[in-house]
Amino acid sequence: MASSETDLNFHDSGNKDMWNVEGEIGGSSTGAATLNLEDDGKTHTFTEFPASAADEEADEVSDTSNLINENKNPIWTFAYYQELFNVNTDTVLQRIKGSMIPSRKQTFTRRYIGGRPDMYGPFWICATLVLSIGVCGNLTTLLTHITDETYHYTPQFERLSIAAIMVYSYTFLIPLLIKGVLWWRKSSSNYSVVDIICTYGYSLFVFIPVSILLLVPSDPFDWIALSIAILLSGSCIAVNMWPALQDDSKKVAVIFTAVLLVLHTALGVTFRLYFFSPISAQVINNSSSITGTSTHALTEKSIITIGTTTNTGE
């Protein structure tokens, strides 16, 4: 009975004899039989069971998927940087989620970047982190002395500048140093500078909600929240960079990873000690007293000078 949609034609390798138990035809092994499946004008040849023609198609897909790792535009062109910001919201959210949930089985670069790094997420994550640290740091100082009637609050706008220098330098300069080390050690990993920057940028996202939690006036709570943030983001970086030196000696890989974790920990601790340690009201009051005394002395000196000048004129 023939099918109206699919025709299955079974035929042997040209010999009319039947298959025996050993899988031979006419006393000699053919190695395979063929099955032609005609569907919608396409012919799939099954040459060896249980392999299928779908495997050949999958191989073609995997081969063409590697083309995304090639940069089509030179680095000095505008189109090169335009591709780095060509990303949708779902991709950014998935990468943010992946940066806070590190996996031992698959690195962040392989699972979420996959040869398509972006600069949109890291840039705005760093900008948001700078704003969050600057604002919350000032609020910490204000809330600490809110009951002190003698304290006069003065916004510390320089904290924004210092936070921007720290965050952007860490996100963009450390990956350059890492790439230099990988080149020096002749690592076989294909991590580009943009891949490492993308990983570092997304790993800093967890510090944004933690900077808000640091407003809680409790040192133990603050250090616990900060430790969790350092652990999550540091794990994302360490797990991602460990395979980069897997073909090197284990000692070098351990030292390399340990240095990255120390730098990351130092960044988090600096956030807590510098931006979220309230400025002492006594220091500010003393500064105000010194300023007032200097102004008063300068005024008296000016009066004396004017008076002396007037007497000389007379």
Side-chain angles (χ1 to χ4, degrees):
M1 180 176 64
S3 174
S4 59
E5 296 182 356
T6 304
D7 295 331
L8 299 177
N9 299 324
F10 296 87
H11 59 85
D12 56 20
S13 300
N15 198 317
K16 302 291 185 181
D17 297 334
M18 298 294 294
W19 287 83
N20 58 18
V21 179
E22 304 254 338
E24 299 178 352
I25 298 180
S28 61
S29 176
T30 61
T34 59
L35 168 62
N36 293 334
L37 173 61
E38 297 180 1
D39 186 8
D40 297 334
K42 297 180 180 179
T43 301
H44 303 284
T45 302
F46 296 79
T47 58
E48 188 173 7
F49 295 100
S52 64
D55 296 332
E56 298 177 358
E57 297 175 356
D59 292 338
E60 294 178 357
V61 173
S62 62
D63 291 338
T64 56
S65 63
N66 293 329
L67 296 177
I68 61 177
N69 294 325
E70 299 179 0
N71 294 325
K72 299 180 181 179
N73 300 301
I75 192 173
W76 57 83
T77 60
F78 178 77
Y80 175 85
Y81 299 96
Q82 187 177 12
E83 291 180 356
L84 297 179
F85 288 85
N86 185 17
V87 63
N88 54 38
T89 304
D90 293 336
T91 302
V92 173
L93 293 178
Q94 287 296 326
R95 292 178 177 182
I96 290 175
K97 178 182 177 182
S99 66
M100 295 187 294
I101 308 176
S103 175
R104 296 179 57 186
K105 297 181 180 179
Q106 203 169 18
T107 63
F108 177 81
T109 300
R110 183 180 298 273
R111 184 175 183 180
Y112 294 98
I113 298 179
R116 296 295 299 272
D118 72 281
M119 290 290 98
Y120 179 87
F123 177 82
W124 286 111
I125 287 174
C126 291
T128 306
L129 179 59
V130 169
L131 182 62
S132 177
I133 290 176
V135 173
C136 293
N138 278 275
L139 288 177
T140 300
T141 304
L142 176 62
L143 295 176
T144 303
H145 304 290
I146 194 171
T147 57
D148 188 0
E149 297 180 355
T150 61
Y151 173 72
H152 177 70
Y153 172 71
T154 302
Q156 305 294 320
F157 292 107
E158 66 274 7
R159 290 185 175 183
L160 287 174
S161 302
I162 297 175
I165 294 173
M166 289 180 56
V167 172
Y168 280 100
S169 298
Y170 180 80
T171 306
F172 290 91
L173 294 183
I174 297 298
L176 290 176
L177 297 177
I178 293 175
K179 184 60 179 180
V181 172
L182 296 180
W183 174 80
W184 173 54
R185 302 301 300 180
K186 297 180 181 179
S187 174
S188 60
S189 65
N190 57 351
Y191 287 168
S192 65
V193 176
V194 182
D195 290 332
I196 304 175
I197 292 176
C198 186
T199 302
Y200 264 75
Y202 279 102
S203 68
L204 294 179
F205 177 83
V206 69
F207 286 104
I208 297 176
V210 170
S211 64
I212 300 175
L213 294 177
L214 292 180
L215 291 174
V216 177
S218 175
D219 286 341
F221 177 83
D222 291 349
W223 285 110
I224 291 175
L226 184 63
S227 300
I228 294 175
I230 294 175
L231 179 62
L232 292 178
S233 56
S235 299
C236 176
I237 295 174
V239 172
N240 191 73
M241 298 309 304
W242 176 264
L245 291 174
Q246 60 183 357
D247 53 347
D248 208 324
S249 63
K250 185 176 181 180
K251 180 180 180 180
V252 173
V254 170
I255 295 176
F256 178 74
T257 306
V259 171
L260 296 182
L261 292 177
V262 169
L263 292 175
H264 199 71
T265 303
L267 179 70
V269 173
T270 303
F271 287 161
R272 174 63 179 83
L273 295 180
Y274 180 80
F275 297 98
F276 293 92
S277 293
I279 301 177
S280 176
Q282 183 178 359
V283 173
I284 296 178
N285 291 334
N286 291 338
S287 300
S288 301
S289 300
I290 295 173
T291 304
T293 304
S294 302
T295 304
H296 181 69
L298 180 61
T299 304
E300 290 182 350
K301 184 177 180 180
S302 301
I303 293 174
I304 294 174
T305 304
I306 294 174
T308 304
T309 304
T310 303
N311 293 334
T312 304
E314 293 177 353

